[in-house]
Amino acid sequence: MGTHTAVITGSTAGLGAAFARQLAAQGYDLVLAARTEQRLEVQSESLEAQYGIRAETVVADLTTDDGVGAVQERLVDPSYPVHLLINNAGHGLAGNFLDTDLQDERDLLRLHVQTPMELCHTAARTMTAQRAGRIINVASVAGFAATGTYSAAKAWVVNFSKALHAQLKSEGLTVTALCPGLVRTEFHERSGITISGAKKWMWLDAEDVVRQGLTANAQGASLCVPSAQYRALSAGLRFMPGSVVQWATDRRMSAPGEDGEPAVTETDASTS
């Protein structure tokens, strides 16, 4: 059994699965949270067999109070304390704001904003009592550009994480916003998003993104933008007119079947 425990939301694919593999390799016991019980069980058994760690599962829809409550219950279990929380679960929407269903927009906001806030609140209270703990919130370079509700949600994650880090570092906690760009995962396919025209340098490897995120968090950084290219891009976005950012985004992304009429803005790669 490991001497530390990490909770990972959206653990069964993409960055979440990469976090699980790398932390298991480091000897962490894991609490894996996602919606699909079968995928969770397969993942848990595989990690336990390969790395000799303990891998619990929590089947939870994190767009619901019950789902979030199930993870919160595990975060406060005094008999098996959590040392690292990774808020990774997420999805995108393929379509303009006025074309999407309002409930889908509510679910996106719930999953990317309210859920990590609630889990951070629960985890941080427990961790401050222990005078030690780490949190990684998966955000996106989209959070540095105003291109839609997804980017707005990720901007909240970035600012929230930086503020929480400043508040809690004296208590022995590190909170890091991990801001990748395009990552080769299931994220876009599962969100119904087609990427077109993206240059080779824009695609990042999930294992590299996770490795950099874990290193930055361990070193006490409040923000991690993997790759020099995206660090330069994210810096430039602060000075670029919004209309130019939207034009460039629209040229890269479209909903399937729209053939040149792109209308989505997701550039993150977390999966639920």
Side-chain angles (χ1 to χ4, degrees):
M1 298 293 180
T3 57
H4 289 81
T5 299
V7 171
I8 307 170
T9 67
S11 69
T12 56
L15 294 180
F19 272 116
R21 287 190 295 270
Q22 291 191 29
L23 288 170
Q26 292 180 25
Y28 274 78
D29 287 336
L30 302 176
V31 180
L32 309 170
R35 292 176 298 177
T36 308
E37 183 174 8
Q38 184 176 5
R39 292 185 74 174
L40 278 173
E41 291 301 329
V42 170
Q43 182 186 32
S44 172
E45 292 173 6
S46 174
L47 291 168
E48 288 184 338
Q50 184 172 358
Y51 298 103
I53 52 92
R54 175 178 175 179
E56 300 176 62
T57 63
V58 179
V59 181
D61 180 351
L62 295 178
T63 65
T64 69
D65 290 343
D66 287 346
V68 174
V71 179
Q72 288 175 310
E73 183 177 349
R74 180 60 189 81
L75 286 170
V76 299
D77 184 354
S79 63
Y80 198 31
V82 171
H83 305 87
L84 172 61
L85 167 64
I86 298 174
N87 282 308
N88 166 75
H91 66 254
L93 292 177
N96 280 321
F97 177 65
L98 296 184
D99 296 329
T100 55
D101 182 79
L102 183 56
Q103 186 56 50
D104 290 340
E105 292 287 356
R106 290 193 187 103
D107 288 346
L108 184 142
L109 197 64
R110 177 68 159 98
L111 186 60
H112 290 275
V113 175
Q114 185 176 338
T115 291
M117 179 273 292
E118 292 175 348
L119 295 182
C120 281
H121 190 270
T122 301
R125 282 191 163 186
T126 303
M127 290 173 177
T128 52
Q130 302 167 359
R131 298 290 299 178
R134 295 161 55 194
I135 297 172
I136 297 176
N137 294 323
V138 177
S140 170
V141 293
F144 303 120
T147 58
T149 50
Y150 179 88
S151 69
K154 290 304 187 182
W156 184 92
V157 173
V158 171
N159 286 309
F160 170 73
S161 300
K162 292 169 70 174
L164 193 60
H165 175 80
Q167 292 176 28
L168 297 178
K169 61 182 179 180
S170 63
E171 303 291 330
L173 274 66
T174 298
V175 182
T176 304
L178 175 60
C179 301
L182 294 171
V183 185
R184 296 192 182 281
T185 69
E186 299 177 13
F187 174 80
H188 300 99
E189 180 181 353
R190 294 175 68 181
S191 299
I193 298 166
T194 300
I195 304 296
S196 60
K199 303 298 184 183
K200 185 177 180 180
W201 69 263
M202 299 179 73
W203 289 102
L204 304 178
D205 176 74
E207 298 292 340
D208 288 341
V209 169
V210 165
R211 192 174 298 108
Q212 291 184 55
L214 288 172
T215 299
N217 182 255
Q219 292 176 345
S222 64
L223 182 69
C224 175
V225 180
S227 87
Q229 301 95 313
Y230 275 111
R231 284 192 289 275
L233 178 61
S234 61
L237 285 172
R238 301 172 190 176
F239 305 101
M240 195 177 297
S243 58
V244 175
V245 174
Q246 186 65 60
W247 175 83
T249 301
D250 287 349
R251 284 178 59 85
R252 295 282 185 268
M253 302 185 181
S254 62
E258 291 187 345
D259 295 331
E261 294 297 331
V264 295
T265 58
E266 291 74 7
T267 58
D268 188 85
S270 56
T271 55
S272 57

